Amino acid sequence: MFPTAGQARLLGVVAGYLADLTFADPTRGHPVALFGTAAAQVERVTYRDGQTVGVVHVGLLVGGAGLLGVALQRRAGPTAATALATWVSLGGTSLARTGNRMASFLDGGDIDAARRLLPSLCGRDPAALDEAGLARAALESVAENTSDAQVAPLVWAAAGGAPAVLGYRAINTLDAMIGYRSPRYLRFGWAAARLDDLANYIGARVTAGLVVVCAPLAGGSPGGAVRAWRRDAGRHPSPNAGVVEAAFAGALGVRLGGPTQYRHELQIRPTLGDGRPPTVGDLRRAVRLSQLVQASAVALTALACAAPNVFSGRGFRRFPALRARSATGS
C-alpha cells in the first residue's frame, strides 16, 4: 500500500531529522544563510521607515520561500521534498553542539571565547556579560531555540510539507534580522515580529508540553515546569519565548530573566522560575533536555506515520460514531 500524502510528509519529517543528526548544518552555502543574504539585498531596495512597506518586504520573501517549496515538492515528491526542507530548516544538532561548546568554555574559564561564541546563539551584547550572565543567556537561547529551531519546524513540516516549513524558516529568519524594537526596525520590522509570533504559537506550546514530559530524563521536575509555565510565562514580553523559557526554568529548578542587554537597548525581563541562578551544569542539562524534547517530537511524528489514520475512509468505517459526528458537524 502506498503512503497517503500526509504519511509521505511525516516520513519526510523523520528523514529530515535523521539527516540533521547525521550531517548537522551545511558548513558552506547553507540555504538559510543564502536566504538571509538575499533578504538583506532586498532590504536595500524596500526599506522605508513604515509598517506597510515592512509588510510588503516580508510578504515578498516569505512568499518566495513558499513557492520554492511548492516547486521542490512538485519535482521531488512530498517525501523527498519534505526531508530536504526539514533538514535545512532544523538547527537542533548545531544548537546542542554550540550549547555544549559554551559550557566547555565557561568550565575552562575562557570568558573571551565564550563571549565570541554567544552571537551564534542570541543577539545580546556579550561584552556586558560575566560567566553567570553568559550561562544564563546561553540557557535562555537554548530554551527558546528548542522551539524555534527544532520543534516548530517539525510541526510546520508535518502540517504542510516543504512549502510550509520553508515559509516558516523564512519568517523566523526575518524576525531574527529585522524583528527588533530598534529605531531602524521598530516599524519596518513590525510585520516580521508579529508574523513570527503567530508562526511559533503552536510550536512553543508543544515544546513546553514536551519539556514537562521529558524533564525527569534530564534530572528535572515536571511539576516545576508546569508551575513556572502557568505562573510566569504571561509576564514575558514574547508570547512564545516566555512559555518555553518558563517551562525550562521550572523543569531545571533555575531562575531566568532579569536585566537583558541587547546591542540597541537594555530590557528588564520578568523573572521566570523561582530557583537559583543557572550554572554551567544547568546549561549542560538544558542542552540534554532540548535534545530529548526534539527526539520526542520526532517520535510522535513517527507514531502518527505508523498508526492507522482514523479519519480516512477506512477509519470512518471502523468507527461509525466518528462518521456520525462528522456528518452533523459537531
Side-chain angles (χ1 to χ4, degrees), residues 137-154:
L139 198 156
E140 289 175 352
S141 181
V142 167
E144 182 176 1
N145 280 293
T146 300
S147 174
D148 290 3
Q150 299 188 68
V151 175
L154 295 173

Side-chain angles (χ1 to χ4, degrees), residues 30-330:
H30 195 299
V32 175
L34 296 176
F35 173 83
T37 300
Q41 294 297 322
V42 172
E43 183 183 332
R44 292 184 178 184
V45 177
T46 59
Y47 179 80
R48 304 289 187 280
D49 186 17
Q51 288 187 356
T52 301
V53 70
V55 171
V56 173
H57 176 78
V58 171
L60 287 172
L61 289 164
V62 174
L67 289 174
L68 178 62
V70 171
L72 180 64
Q73 199 156 275
R74 287 179 177 174
R75 184 173 184 85
T79 300
T82 302
L84 179 60
T86 300
W87 173 43
V88 302
S89 298
L90 287 175
T93 298
S94 295
L95 177 65
R97 290 176 179 175
T98 305
N100 284 326
R101 282 182 65 203
M102 176 67 76
S104 296
F105 286 145
L106 294 176
D107 267 337
D110 194 343
I111 302 301
D112 289 338
R115 286 172 175 161
R116 289 193 297 270
L117 181 62
L118 187 66
S120 64
L121 283 170
C122 60
R124 302 183 195 185
D125 183 2
L129 299 177
D130 57 9
E131 178 180 337
L134 289 164
R136 190 200 113 195
L139 198 156
E140 289 175 352
S141 181
V142 167
E144 182 176 1
N145 280 293
T146 300
S147 174
D148 290 3
Q150 299 188 68
V151 175
L154 295 173
V155 170
W156 280 101
V165 71
L166 291 181
Y168 167 78
R169 180 47 65 206
I171 292 167
N172 193 243
T173 302
L174 289 171
D175 178 61
M177 295 177 68
I178 65 174
Y180 294 106
R181 295 181 179 273
S182 64
R184 176 177 174 85
Y185 291 126
L186 183 61
R187 285 173 287 275
F188 182 75
W190 173 86
R194 297 290 78 77
L195 191 57
D196 185 72
D197 287 342
L198 291 172
N200 279 294
Y201 188 87
I202 294 175
R205 282 144 186 87
V206 172
T207 302
L210 291 174
V211 167
V212 174
V213 173
C214 296
L217 300 176
S221 167
V226 172
R227 285 192 298 273
W229 177 4
R230 295 181 62 183
R231 183 189 63 213
D232 299 333
R235 299 190 288 121
H236 195 282
S238 167
N240 300 318
V243 168
V244 181
E245 290 180 22
F248 265 78
L252 299 174
V254 299
R255 184 174 67 253
L256 302 177
T260 304
Q261 181 66 58
Y262 291 93
R263 289 183 175 85
H264 58 278
E265 67 174 343
L266 173 66
Q267 294 184 6
I268 306 300
R269 295 286 180 87
T271 300
L272 306 175
D274 51 13
R276 66 188 183 282
T279 65
V280 177
D282 295 317
L283 174 56
R284 293 189 187 279
R285 292 168 62 216
V287 171
R288 177 60 178 158
L289 180 56
S290 176
Q291 292 173 306
L292 290 166
V293 165
Q294 187 182 27
S296 297
V298 175
L300 290 176
T301 300
L303 285 174
C305 181
N309 184 357
V310 298
F311 296 104
S312 67
R314 180 181 297 178
F316 270 40
R317 287 192 296 272
R318 289 180 180 176
F319 301 103
L322 290 178
R323 184 173 66 247
R325 288 175 185 160
S326 176
T328 60
S330 59

